[in-house]
Amino acid sequence: MSTTPLYPANKQPLGVRFRRAMTRWWPLYLMLLPGIIYFLVYKYAPMYGLVIAFKKFSIKKGILGSPWVTPWYKYFEQFFSSPANRNVIKNTITLSLWKLAVGLFPSLIFALAVSECRNRFFARIVQTISYLPHFLSWVVVYGICVAMLSQSNGVVNTFIKKMGGTAIPFMTSNKYFQAVLVGTDLWKALGWGAIIYLAAIMGIDTSLYEAATVDGCGRFRQIWYITLPCIRKIFVVLLILNVGKVLDAGFNQVYVFLSDEVRSSGEIIDTWVYTQGIGKMNYSLSTAVGLMKSVLSCVLVFGTNALARKWDSAIW
């Protein structure tokens, strides 16, 4: 009798493959179960509330009892039709793009500098110091900024006035506020963002550098032809993850730093949604804007991933 299986291993029905995988790897799936339950309960179940974006929500009537709005895109249109909200969108995109550009490349350069440092003791000290700001809350960072950049008695402005200059309103001027946000975000995230790059650099085969040294390559050529190509996939992954957060712009930071003087240049979508939803109890409008932001972020992630795949196959 022939012992040839009815289906090849990779062509078996999905149900058969699932049962075999569950039988063979059931301890691993059992360990995975708490994580799956967490995401189902706290991430996917609350998505039911997104229908509020298409209803005239009333707390008394609840989600099911609230009537549907006509047309269904009423709140989306309401958000985009306001000139003030266009400024909110502009602020969000501007801040996010600056943080994306300033956040990725300095972390990469810093990781390369640390990895090339010959004195390992000094490199570890620099790494530790660079990590510390990551663990500070934005409230603490705001206090440091006030002490350093305050127009009346900040350290920087005190020095400027002693040099005969005029005090600069860093924290209360629309001209400088976005630069303060980007700069503090860079200072806080620089060391922490370099950790992944450092881990990738440490995983590169040292024989590649040894062969390059024998061929007469200097350190800069080794970085260009060995280090950067070997960590390019890590860079692409971090780029995709950061592009997905382009419409976030850092709610915690902006909410702490924001004041009435700089609202025109600092208000972003997340703070606007918080003000509308919690402050003014306009739940339907704020939910619609939050839903729109999430969908666009998802599209950006998939789009960037597709472009990265094409770029990777074309270049390498």
Side-chain angles (χ1 to χ4, degrees), residues 6 9 12 59 105 133 135 209 227 286 290 298:
L6 184 60
Q12 292 177 346
I59 296 179
F105 293 102
F135 300 98
Y209 294 105
T227 306
S286 59
C298 187

Side-chain angles (χ1 to χ4, degrees), residues 12-241:
Q12 292 177 346
L14 181 62
V16 175
R17 284 182 289 165
F18 177 76
R19 286 195 299 270
R20 289 188 174 181
M22 291 296 295
T23 303
R24 183 177 182 183
W25 306 110
W26 68 267
L28 298 180
Y29 285 110
L30 187 62
M31 295 171 61
L32 189 63
L33 187 60
I36 295 176
I37 294 175
Y38 167 79
F39 277 97
L40 289 176
V41 173
Y42 294 103
K43 300 297 181 180
Y44 288 95
M47 286 186 180
Y48 169 71
L50 292 176
V51 298
I52 295 176
F54 309 100
K55 288 190 168 189
K56 188 177 181 181
F57 178 70
S58 171
I59 296 179
K60 293 182 179 180
K61 296 179 181 179
I63 296 177
L64 294 177
S66 299
W68 298 93
V69 295
T70 305
W72 62 268
Y73 53 85
K74 173 183 176 181
Y75 296 114
F76 299 94
E77 184 181 34
Q78 182 178 340
F79 175 74
F80 284 105
S81 62
S82 172
N85 295 339
R86 294 172 193 168
N87 188 56
V88 170
I89 297 173
K90 176 184 174 182
N91 292 338
T92 304
I93 295 175
T94 302
L95 274 174
S96 297
L97 291 179
W98 272 111
K99 288 183 177 181
L100 178 64
V102 172
L104 281 176
F105 293 102
S107 295
L108 174 59
I109 296 171
F110 178 74
L112 292 172
V114 171
S115 66
E116 292 296 322
C117 183
R118 300 298 178 88
N119 190 329
R120 303 314 303 169
F121 177 74
F122 177 74
R124 292 191 187 98
I125 292 176
V126 172
Q127 280 183 265
T128 303
I129 294 174
S130 66
Y131 297 161
L132 293 178
H134 172 77
F135 300 98
L136 299 177
S137 70
W138 280 114
V139 177
V140 175
V141 175
Y142 176 76
I144 295 173
C145 287
V146 170
M148 297 296 295
L149 303 177
S150 174
Q151 186 177 2
S152 58
N153 54 5
V155 175
V156 175
N157 277 314
T158 300
F159 177 76
I160 291 175
K161 287 186 285 187
K162 286 185 178 180
M163 297 297 293
T166 304
I168 302 173
F170 292 105
M171 306 291 291
T172 57
S173 172
N174 289 307
K175 182 179 179 180
Y176 302 102
F177 185 66
Q178 290 191 355
V180 171
L181 293 177
V182 175
T184 52
D185 183 76
L186 173 62
W187 173 73
K188 193 172 187 293
L190 177 65
W192 190 257
I195 290 179
I196 299 178
Y197 291 123
L198 285 169
I201 292 172
M202 296 303 174
I204 299 174
D205 189 355
T206 55
S207 62
L208 297 175
Y209 294 105
E210 294 171 359
T213 302
V214 172
D215 291 339
C217 285
R219 297 304 301 176
F220 285 103
R221 285 183 174 272
Q222 291 180 25
I223 292 173
W224 185 259
Y225 291 107
I226 298 177
T227 306
L228 291 178
C230 286
I231 65 173
R232 72 181 188 275
K233 293 187 181 297
I234 300 297
F235 179 83
V236 170
V237 169
L238 293 177
L239 175 64
I240 293 172
L241 294 176

